[in-house]
Amino acid sequence: MITGVRSGARLVLVAVLATGLLGACGNSDTSPNVNDPNTLTVLAGSEVKDLVPLLPDIKAATGVSLELSYSGTLEGAEAISGGAATDAAWFSSGNYLSLLPGAGSRVVAQKQIMLSPVVIGVKKSVADRFGWTNNPDVTWKDIEAKSADGSFKFAMTNPAASNSGLVALIGVASALSGSSDSIDTGTIDKTALRAFFKGQALTAGSSGFLADSYVRDQDTVDGIVNYESILMSLNAGGKLHEPLELIYPKEGIVTADYPFMLLNAAKRDAWDKVTTYLRTPDVQKRIMTDTLRRPAIPGVPLDPRFSTQTLIELPFPAKLDTIDALITAYLDEVRKPASAIFVLDLSGSMSGDRLSQLKTAMNALTGTDQSLTGRFSRFRAREQVTIITFSTDVLDTREFTIDDTAPNGPDMTAIRDYVNGLQTYDSTAIYSGLEAAYGVVGKAETADPNRLYSIVLMTDGDNNSGVSPEQFGSDYAALPDPVKAVHTYTVLFGEGSADAMGSIATQTGGAVFNAETTSLQTIFKQIRGYQ
């Protein structure tokens, strides 16, 4: 059976994302097989991974094999724009890709496969208290009011990394500004958006990871913005302390339509066979039943589990500059400011090329990487960046505040100057560095709880000095709940221990990123989507 949200997706999903883009850019798993007209290589969003059980049936019915690799939405658009060798693309939306120079022109044909509006799930008790239960007249402005006065806290993905966050941001901005036409003309009501996002207490780089994080932190968060399918899956999953009331704001929503996009005209026949099969009534019904997405074709009766409320569809902005400006405003001006703590291994094994890779990856976050993903992953205005270095013990803790985001401005230059001066030493005290990071978070969170805190741990070895894993586990368990809720994103690099990195990620609610199969620079950019 296909499932919309899987337990344990936190570790698996990010490992897939970490390798997907590299594969999409030309390895043997994803390069078009020109000698096999019945194989389609597909660069896909992680959202469609739950359709993998359908692949054998596609093969049996059509004779066509689909070979999927995975990437984030903007990563995928960037890869396609750069000429990634793939026959087809399959993301939750093709709107951004269609506007991106060099990407949209590659789309030979596309067809909708399934539908899922991006809406907001609210705890039943909270919805009852606000008068939102079974109320079709709730608006985005109503949600803004509750966020602004501190009575409503919610989770939403980063729109620079995940389509659900992007279309939610577009929907909210359109509703609060009057219409998407207003956004296209540059009228973005940043004051209203700040009020709305005052309530954002949890972020993530993918919709699946956000769902897992919501389950973990559900006692401190009142709701979650996500695909309707994921919210319904959460309600059916048996892990919620109370069900979510799905709210379809009256001003309108934006719906993901999961277009299957042909990029290689030579594979048109195979693509036609697959899309025809996926859009047959029986398969549409199966997709609806198993993934809780709505059918993309007329004539398939809607499953009774779905709301029958009339949905108002908000148009997607027609200009790329508009979307980019909205994302930038969200990151630099609208959402809560971030506090990112980087815990970096400077043990002897990091000398030479590994240290050079680390410096390149950190420097790219200061605005020197002008690629699409680089521009959105740079350090943001108002952000506090802390760099903790460790070897035999903690070596140094250095703090920076980003007031000027210009790549050659004083704040970004200060970070580069510090990073470029790093050198290696002796042993590897992983848990000493991690304890220092949570110590920094503890002090900072007490002084300013209205930030989005996160920790990144990068190491290429095993712990052989300082605090033991057992001692860290005991100390972590004793932390105050707001500090313990801060996730650690671990980077598996060199000879780093997969077990240790996985254990830390699981314990703290974070994720493992695999730098063994792609560049550290790409990994750091991916992690920024979760911060």
Side-chain angles (χ1 to χ4, degrees), residues 58-78:
I58 294 174
K59 170 70 171 177
T62 68
V64 178
S65 297
L66 299 186
E67 297 180 357
L68 274 64
S69 61
Y70 300 91
S71 137
T73 302
L74 263 63
E75 285 179 320
E78 183 177 58

Side-chain angles (χ1 to χ4, degrees), residues 146-225:
K146 295 301 183 183
S147 293
D149 69 15
S151 59
F152 182 66
K153 299 184 184 301
F154 65 90
M156 191 186 93
T157 60
N158 185 337
S162 170
N163 183 70
S164 66
L166 176 58
V167 299
L169 176 62
I170 289 170
V172 171
S174 298
L176 298 182
S177 296
S179 73
S180 64
D181 291 338
S182 298
I183 298 176
D184 267 336
T185 58
T187 306
I188 299 173
D189 191 340
K190 294 179 183 177
T191 299
L193 285 173
R194 286 190 197 97
F196 183 91
F197 286 105
K198 184 178 179 181
Q200 185 177 7
L202 191 62
T203 189
S206 74
S207 303
F209 183 88
L210 186 75
D212 282 352
S213 295
Y214 176 81
V215 170
R216 175 187 170 95
D217 299 332
Q218 61 183 294
D219 291 335
T220 60
V221 185
D222 303 310
I224 172 174
V225 178

Side-chain angles (χ1 to χ4, degrees), residues 82-100:
T86 185
D87 294 322
W90 199 358
F91 292 93
S92 55
S93 172
N95 289 325
Y96 189 91
L97 187 149
S98 68
L99 296 174
L100 189 66

Side-chain angles (χ1 to χ4, degrees), residues 337-416:
S339 286
I341 298 95
F342 289 81
V343 185
L344 305 179
D345 184 354
L346 294 184
S347 59
S349 59
M350 281 291 296
S351 62
D353 181 61
R354 290 181 182 178
L355 183 60
S356 296
Q357 289 183 55
L358 174 59
K359 291 179 178 180
T360 297
M362 289 297 296
N363 287 340
L365 303 182
T366 66
T368 61
D369 181 350
Q370 287 298 301
S371 66
L372 173 65
T373 51
R375 293 198 304 273
F376 288 129
S377 61
R378 66 161 169 80
F379 294 125
R380 314 310 311 187
R382 307 168 298 147
E383 185 168 6
Q384 292 177 349
V385 179
T386 302
I387 300 176
I388 297 173
T389 55
F390 67 90
S391 176
T392 304
D393 202 342
V394 173
L395 297 169
D396 190 26
T397 299
R398 193 67 58 94
E399 298 181 353
F400 305 87
T401 299
I402 309 300
D403 295 315
D404 183 348
T405 60
N408 294 320
D411 299 331
M412 298 296 203
T413 299
I415 294 176
R416 283 197 301 275

Side-chain angles (χ1 to χ4, degrees), residues 15 46 55 76 111 130 197 204 236 259 283 303 324 328 337 349 361-362 365 380 383 396 411 422 450 477 488 493 513:
S46 61
L55 299 187
K111 285 189 178 180
F130 292 161
F197 286 105
V283 176
D303 189 296
D324 289 350
T328 299
S349 59
M362 289 297 296
L365 303 182
R380 314 310 311 187
E383 185 168 6
D396 190 26
D411 299 331
L422 296 178
N450 294 311
T488 293
F493 188 57
F513 288 77

